[in-house]
Amino acid sequence: MDMRAPIVTLRTRLRPWAERNRPAFHRLNSDETVMRFFPFRRSQRESDALLDDLNRRLEDDGYSFLALEVEGSRQAVGMVGMARLDPNMPGAPGVEIGWRLLPEAWGMGFATEAAAACLDRAFAGPDALDEVVSFCVANNGASEAVMLRLGFSRGQDFDHPKVPAETHPELVRHRFYRLSRSDWLARRQGRPADLTGRPPRSAET
């Protein structure tokens, strides 16, 4: 799997992070609305360091969490991409897919559209993955809806090992989903409408 070349869909474009994206990336890591399902907020300095690390991971691994642009704009409105799973996470060793969008980009299907293109890239070619997993806080219905639209199957819920239960008990329990390459390829033969750019009705985060 190689995501170093831009991933382009009807309305979105995924590519490496640029210098001009640092303010937007900091919003993704510090805005209270965007980060309501996370137990931390990052400073500008911490966000800058993470942005640099994501680009490094893209060069080293061939995949990472990428900047999401919408058609006609060079500004990032979120991130979509993949990463190696932490050894303590369900599904490890393996690869997860995830997304996080700024509020102005919610509810238009961008996360589903871009994530579907990522899965096309992940499950194609001689170095294709056999499986991709995803997870979210148990009451994050918007993110879970994206997983369901993409065809993920629900696994066993788990307590996230990096969420401090003493300070954020409401964020500990997570839903776990997985998608096999064979299921994705079988599903894509029919090209469902909700994966070809038609905006769904529910919001995405």
Side-chain angles (χ1 to χ4, degrees), residues 179-198:
L179 178 66
S180 70
R181 179 175 182 268
S182 59
D183 285 348
W184 176 253
L185 294 178
R187 177 181 172 84
R188 287 300 261 167
Q189 288 180 357
R191 292 280 166 174
D194 62 352
L195 298 183
T196 57
R198 188 181 69 182

Side-chain angles (χ1 to χ4, degrees), residues 21-160:
N21 302 139
R22 291 188 185 275
F25 189 67
H26 181 224
R27 278 189 65 200
L28 279 174
N29 289 287
S30 61
D31 183 275
E32 290 297 326
T33 302
V34 176
M35 296 294 287
R36 67 189 182 278
F37 293 112
F38 293 82
F40 58 86
R41 308 291 182 268
R42 288 191 171 94
S43 66
Q44 182 71 63
R45 182 175 180 180
E46 291 168 333
S47 289
D48 287 345
L50 179 58
L51 183 150
D52 293 336
D53 185 57
L54 292 180
N55 281 343
R56 179 192 59 77
R57 284 190 235 170
L58 180 62
E59 287 302 312
D60 292 347
D61 299 335
Y63 56 92
S64 183
F65 288 105
L66 304 170
L68 169 65
E69 294 179 350
V70 296
E71 183 183 19
S73 171
R74 297 177 67 245
Q75 299 302 313
V77 297
M79 64 178 174
V80 177
M82 298 186 178
R84 294 182 187 275
L85 283 166
D86 185 281
N88 296 320
M89 294 293 290
V95 175
E96 66 164 304
I97 188 170
W99 40 82
R100 191 188 310 167
L101 276 61
L102 295 174
E104 56 264 34
W106 293 357
M108 291 179 277
F110 294 138
T112 303
E113 185 174 337
C118 280
L119 291 168
D120 280 343
R121 184 76 60 90
F123 288 138
D127 57 349
L129 299 177
D130 292 324
E131 180 184 70
V132 173
V133 307
S134 194
F135 47 87
C136 64
V137 173
N139 65 341
N140 187 350
S143 189
E144 187 174 19
V146 176
M147 299 174 201
L148 292 172
R149 282 195 292 272
L150 292 169
F152 279 75
S153 298
R154 186 171 172 181
Q156 185 166 349
D157 292 1
F158 69 100
D159 291 341
H160 200 297

